[in-house]
Amino acid sequence: IEYHYSHFLITLVSLLDISLRLTNTVFCLGNRERDCKFDLITKNSWVVRTPVAGALEEISKLIYPHKEGRNNFVHCGKTPKIASVMKSEYLNNLDRFSFIEMCGKPVVDRKTLELAYKGQVKKISARLQDETNSVFDVVWEFFNKLEPIYENHVATLRASS
């Protein structure tokens, strides 16, 4: 579970970086990819006066709570503990029971433990699906704000050819 959540975090947090690079490209700002930082892009005089800046801000707000977990995983190798992420004492207890079972002295029957984990996986999946839906909505809005600028640049390039 924690491995999959870690992958989710990496993908989620990367969306802001990708959006910043895409904005840099569409607006023809000329920054190197590695220089496409939030403030540099959103405060650019061409970007700041468009709805794209606000859309990037919304993506940032949604992603910000996940940055520390992603950075701890990517830069320090610390896998996020799903029980902490979910703020679930129940999951903490299941982890303890699983650890005790691995040590050879089960406290809870294995089938009961598996059923309990299955129930928690459903809750985790539902929460991640809710977050995914929120991200989809915000990124969709970003593309809707960016598309007219892109179309305008394309039209300008075609007219000058």
Side-chain angles (χ1 to χ4, degrees), residues 1 13 24 33 40 42 51 57 67 81 86 96-97 100 102 110 114 121 131 133 139 145:
I1 294 171
V13 174
N24 181 60
E33 282 192 6
L40 179 69
T42 59
E57 181 67 39
K67 282 187 97 165
K81 298 295 178 198
M86 296 293 294
R96 286 184 195 108
F97 294 149
I100 292 168
M102 285 184 347
R110 183 74 190 148
E114 286 175 8
V121 167
E131 287 191 42
N133 291 343
V139 171
K145 304 292 187 208

Side-chain angles (χ1 to χ4, degrees), residues 30 49-50 55 61 63 76 81 120 128 147:
R49 57 188 176 177
T50 69
K61 281 188 219 172
I63 288 171
C76 303
K81 298 295 178 198
Q120 290 301 301
L128 293 181
E147 191 263 341

Side-chain angles (χ1 to χ4, degrees), residues 72-104:
N72 282 335
F73 178 66
V74 170
H75 300 295
C76 303
K78 295 179 183 176
T79 305
K81 298 295 178 198
I82 200 71
S84 298
V85 172
M86 296 293 294
K87 297 179 174 84
S88 171
E89 190 58 36
Y90 188 76
L91 270 172
N92 272 332
N93 288 333
L94 288 175
D95 284 346
R96 286 184 195 108
F97 294 149
S98 294
F99 178 75
I100 292 168
E101 182 184 52
M102 285 184 347
C103 293

Side-chain angles (χ1 to χ4, degrees), residues 38 42 47-61 138 141-142 145:
F38 185 79
T42 59
V47 177
V48 75
R49 57 188 176 177
T50 69
V52 172
L56 287 167
E57 181 67 39
E58 291 303 312
I59 294 172
S60 179
K61 281 188 219 172
V138 170
E141 189 62 25
F142 164 71
K145 304 292 187 208

